[in-house]
């Protein structure tokens, strides 16, 4: 029961990280080398993407998955579409484990093709963690941080180590609080974990958060 509760906490925290970490200016790709065929495909991708977003709002998630896949086929270099597809599959994996396998299979293909973002890498890390493949999970947590060293990612990696892949490296928490974009919530999370090993630093961080 405790393990299941921990699993839910980690999932919630990771989703929070990803939702707050997405770039605000990502849109359906455009290129200077447009051709009539490419313009049609971009238009198709935009239509499928819009329909997928509408399907999500209607909670028609399987329909949305299919539409995001169609958008990806029409605009295969668009990383934001790939993020949305992997994000939705990860959400569905909370309720049906078969979608976790799809996150891994599709996400690995994006990674091999070098068409990925830090968000996709983190979803892959979480998917491998769910499968209890901790070696691969560790690999993708590290790749996430290499691609985009953010406070939330440092803390996510620390939580993974602490609960599933010890020993947990407290240096991750120190690095997290050094990040200029760190939020108050992340500072307090880091302070809570550090209270177990460095009370003085934990108090300092908590006071700075307030």
């Amino acid at each position: 029961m405790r393990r299941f509760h921990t699993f839910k906490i980690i999932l919630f925290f990771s989703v929070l990280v990803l939702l707050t970490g997405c770039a605000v200016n990502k849109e359906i790709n455009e290129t200077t080398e447009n051709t009539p065929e490419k313009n049609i495909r971009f238009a198709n991708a935009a239509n499928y993407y819009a329909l997928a977003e509408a399907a999500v709002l209607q909670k028609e998630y399987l329909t949305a998955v299919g539409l995001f896949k169609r958008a990806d086929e029409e605009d295969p270099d668009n990383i934001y579409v790939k993020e949305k597809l992997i994000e939705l599959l990860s959400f569905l994996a909370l309720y049906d484990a078969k979608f976790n396998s799809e996150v891994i299979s599709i996400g690995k293909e994006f990674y091999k093709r070098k068409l990925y973002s830090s968000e996709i890498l983190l979803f892959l890390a979480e998917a491998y963690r769910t499968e209890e493949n901790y070696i691969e999970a560790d690999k993708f947590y590290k790749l996430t941080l290499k691609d985009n060293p953010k406070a939330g990612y440092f803390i996510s990696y620390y939580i993974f180590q602490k609960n599933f892949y010890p020993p947990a490296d407290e240096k991750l928490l120190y690095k997290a609080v050094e990040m200029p974009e760190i939020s108050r919530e992340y500072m307090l999370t880091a302070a809570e974990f550090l209270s177990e090993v460095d009370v003085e630093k934990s108090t300092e961080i908590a006071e700075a958060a307030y």
Side-chain angles (χ1 to χ4, degrees), residues 52-116:
E53 291 279 69
V56 169
L57 291 176
Q58 295 296 320
K59 298 184 179 181
E60 297 175 359
Y61 300 123
L62 295 182
T63 298
V65 167
L67 289 166
F68 279 132
K69 287 180 178 180
R70 294 293 299 274
D72 182 54
E73 290 171 2
E74 294 291 337
D75 191 0
D77 295 327
N78 191 309
I79 292 176
Y80 186 54
V81 172
K82 290 174 167 54
E83 283 181 9
K84 298 298 289 186
L85 172 59
I86 294 295
E87 180 182 356
L88 180 56
L89 289 171
S90 297
F91 168 74
L92 292 174
L94 294 173
Y95 305 97
D96 189 336
K98 72 179 181 183
F99 291 105
N100 199 67
S101 298
E102 197 165 358
V103 170
I104 291 174
S105 62
I106 294 176
K108 279 179 62 177
E109 183 63 25
F110 293 162
Y111 174 69
K112 289 178 182 178
R113 291 163 54 195
K114 300 186 184 302
L115 292 169
Y116 60 85

Side-chain angles (χ1 to χ4, degrees), residues 12 37 83 177 179 184 187 198:
F12 172 79
E37 181 181 355
E83 283 181 9
V177 299
M179 295 293 103
R184 176 183 173 186
M187 288 183 71
D198 189 341

